[in-house]
Amino acid sequence: MARILIKNGTLVGATGAAASDVLVEGETVAAVLAPGAADALGVSADRVIDATGKYVIPGGIDVHTHMELPFGGTFASDTFETGTIAAAWGGVTTIVDMAVQRYGENVHEGLAEWHRKADGNCAIDYGFHQIIGGVDEEALKAMTYLVDHEGVTSFKLFMAYPGVFYSDDGQILRAMQTAADNGAVVMMHAENGIAIDVLVAQALARGETDPKYHSLTRPSILEGEATSRAIVLSKVAGNVPLYIVHMSASEALDAVAEARHEGANVFAETCPQYLYMTLEDHLARPGFEGAKFVCSPPIRSRLDHRHHHRDLWKGLRMNELAIVSTDHCPFCMKDQKELGIGNFAKIPNGIGGVEHRMDLIYQGVVTGELPLTRWVETCCTTPARMFGMYPRKGVVAPGSDADIVVYDPKGTTRIGVGASHHMNMDHSAWEGTVIDGHVDVVLSRGSVVIEGGAFVGRKGHGRFVRRGLSQYLV
Ligand code: URP
Ligand code: ZN
Ligand code: ZN
């Protein structure tokens, strides 16, 4: 078994940072050693990685991606191969992607299709959540089967997208009751899709067709309302674990904070686009450029009566928001986003970002929004615990998978097509962004996959992770 010694770095975990050496043996971490202990003990290694002046952190875990998602009349443009290679470039060693079942489709077939897409194609490890887009008797039974037999222990439901993935309150309650029985986490896209569709139709009738109207027809109070309703339903279902995905709005954060304060099993994530982008600076760019930033929930206005960015960063500090994911759902401008020229409602919803989350959230450490340990906690450790992968993933400790990133805090990362950009997209939503910090070396289960500014891994290295139940529940 190959032995790699990562020497002289600062090991950063969710609970602290300390000068440490890390010994990797084969696919797992063999030991975490005090500086100098490896020499004193005569530890030999096939390879030494010098991490002097650098952070050594657990590999990033992005628990919300959509590779090859059929959506908006097209497919998300990253395959499992291109998307997981891009993820590795960005210091991500595990993704949890969303397998799809739509109304009238069979859940088992949906999951099998996702296995077919991913199997043999991934450069890093991967798991699946299951989207339930059609709650019926068969789907409810399948949920329990997936928890018990397939290592799929979380299910995404939608209060948005009527006619596509939407579930009504009765369907949501039934799925939540099923999850309360089998221990699964219910993940919720919380926006009032029925009301939004009315606003969209009215805007189009007025001739308001530009990308910015995507945000103006999805007001933040409709995200707050749906979040509150989802929380109420989760209580009715018996305090079932509820995880609000891709939170963008202060009103939604208020609802989650209140529920958490009451002791409810309510959790939430946000994504970098909601921490940095605005309607005015991004969606409202001249011409059709704003289409690059069309995602749901939408990018919010910096002129709103609520300060969404500030509140979301605070939520991350206060653990009202547990996790940062990306909701990576890439579409090219050409032939994909362009479907919505003249009608914002036809722009495929989604932003690609799996490659940039670790850097973008590290930027929050640089600017004083987050402590260093919270960066690791929200991007690596909590994702593993929330979705039943800890301590195999999310921590650098003896016995854990050797998913490790050597991160250079003095480095610089330039994002953009032609710079750091490996996602299968013809543009970057983060074009021109410059970050203090750089992913130097990435190990996935003990194999070096990124080093020296090159991808040195291989497709097929990544394995399916069968997940257990959430480890946040008593
Ligand atoms: O705009 C988004 N978020 N696209 C992906 C689908 C979803 O709702 O997560
Ligand atoms: Zn969603
Ligand atoms: Zn999503």
Side-chain angles (χ1 to χ4, degrees):
M1 256 189 304
R3 280 177 142 201
I4 299 176
L5 184 62
I6 304 173
K7 270 182 97 167
N8 307 322
T10 300
L11 181 60
V12 184
T15 54
S20 312
D21 296 342
V22 178
L23 182 65
V24 172
E25 211 166 54
E27 296 198 343
T28 57
V29 175
V32 174
L33 301 155
D39 291 338
L41 296 168
V43 171
S44 64
D46 303 295
R47 187 160 172 209
V48 174
I49 295 174
D50 184 11
T52 302
K54 302 189 179 158
Y55 298 136
V56 177
I57 63 171
I61 302 179
D62 190 343
V63 294
H64 190 158
T65 68
H66 298 282
M67 306 303 172
E68 303 179 41
L69 176 75
F71 198 44
T74 182
F75 285 81
S77 57
D78 264 318
T79 62
F80 278 88
E81 179 181 351
T82 61
T84 56
I85 290 174
W89 274 99
V92 172
T93 53
T94 308
I95 60 164
V96 187
D97 201 81
M98 303 259 176
V100 173
Q101 176 253 5
R102 285 169 295 203
Y103 184 75
E105 293 176 356
N106 180 278
V107 173
H108 298 286
E109 283 168 15
L111 178 60
E113 192 186 340
W114 244 252
H115 275 296
R116 274 194 300 276
K117 288 175 195 261
D119 189 24
N121 289 321
C122 293
I124 54 165
D125 288 353
Y126 61 97
F128 295 140
H129 310 287
Q130 179 71 50
I131 286 176
I132 304 287
V135 176
D136 56 19
E137 289 307 324
E138 193 184 75
L140 294 171
K141 261 198 223 114
M143 284 173 67
T144 300
Y145 187 90
L146 265 52
V147 172
D148 291 346
H149 301 286
E150 299 285 354
V152 174
T153 56
S154 39
F155 299 89
K156 183 175 176 193
L157 300 175
F158 291 78
M159 301 168 106
Y161 310 137
V164 185
F165 292 130
Y166 174 82
S167 293
D168 66 26
D169 289 356
Q171 290 172 311
I172 289 169
L173 181 59
R174 295 210 59 205
M176 286 180 168
Q177 288 169 332
T178 302
D181 284 344
N182 64 32
V185 172
V186 172
M187 308 171 79
M188 189 61 74
H189 181 134
E191 285 187 292
N192 186 327
I194 300 288
I196 286 167
D197 273 8
V198 171
L199 298 178
V200 168
Q202 290 169 345
L204 291 173
R206 287 192 297 270
E208 297 168 350
T209 59
D210 289 349
K212 70 176 180 198
Y213 292 104
H214 174 73
S215 182
L216 295 172
T217 53
R218 305 178 90 92
S220 58
I221 42 173
L222 289 183
E223 187 181 339
E225 181 276 330
T227 303
S228 302
R229 186 157 37 98
I231 290 169
V232 170
L233 292 171
S234 75
K235 288 180 189 168
V236 173
N239 198 21
V240 68
L242 171 67
Y243 178 92
I244 306 292
V245 292
H246 47 44
M247 183 181 285
S248 75
S250 303
E251 294 90 336
L253 183 65
D254 291 346
V256 165
E258 188 185 321
R260 290 185 57 70
H261 195 71
E262 287 170 4
N265 286 325
V266 174
F267 309 94
E269 65 174 24
T270 190
C271 311
Q273 53 269 33
Y274 302 123
L275 294 165
Y276 289 107
M277 292 180 180
T278 66
L279 165 60
E280 291 75 15
D281 300 313
H282 295 85
L283 263 177
R285 284 190 190 169
F288 191 63
E289 199 195 337
K292 292 175 182 170
F293 313 101
V294 166
C295 60
S296 294
I299 303 301
R300 301 289 174 197
S301 168
R302 59 174 149 76
L303 306 176
D304 262 9
H305 68 296
R306 299 294 302 266
H307 196 312
H308 304 290
H309 288 183
R310 189 192 57 207
D311 292 347
L312 293 175
W313 279 114
K314 177 174 139 289
L316 273 178
R317 282 194 298 280
M318 303 293 290
N319 202 31
E320 291 156 358
L321 287 162
I323 288 175
V324 182
S325 72
T326 58
D327 190 12
H328 175 75
C329 192
F331 296 103
C332 292
M333 285 296 267
K334 187 164 168 27
D335 297 337
Q336 296 200 299
K337 293 279 186 182
E338 280 176 359
L339 292 168
I341 292 177
N343 180 348
F344 69 87
K346 293 205 168 131
I347 300 169
N349 286 200
I351 290 183
V354 73
E355 187 174 349
H356 303 308
R357 180 189 60 136
M358 297 301 288
D359 287 321
L360 289 165
I361 303 308
Y362 180 69
Q363 200 59 25
V365 177
V366 173
T367 57
E369 295 284 2
L370 291 184
L372 185 64
T373 49
R374 188 76 184 138
W375 171 51
V376 172
E377 191 172 21
T378 55
C379 293
C380 314
T381 309
T382 301
R385 291 183 66 196
M386 186 69 71
F387 293 107
M389 296 181 276
Y390 187 88
R392 183 173 156 198
K393 305 286 188 192
V395 63
V396 177
S400 63
D401 281 357
D403 293 346
I404 300 174
V405 174
V406 178
Y407 197 81
D408 182 2
K410 296 195 188 73
T412 300
T413 302
R414 290 177 188 283
I415 303 180
V417 177
S420 178
H421 180 90
H422 301 88
M423 300 173 288
N424 186 33
M425 300 168 69
D426 60 4
H427 67 278
S428 171
W430 300 96
E431 186 70 42
T433 308
V434 181
I435 307 284
D436 292 325
H438 188 260
V439 171
D440 269 12
V441 183
V442 180
L443 276 74
S444 164
R445 276 186 291 103
S447 295
V448 176
V449 294
I450 298 286
E451 75 172 332
F455 172 69
V456 293
R458 63 173 176 86
K459 87 168 189 172
H461 164 80
R463 283 196 204 131
F464 178 64
V465 181
R466 298 177 74 86
R467 296 181 295 109
L469 298 181
S470 174
Q471 292 149 306
Y472 268 96
L473 306 169
V474 282

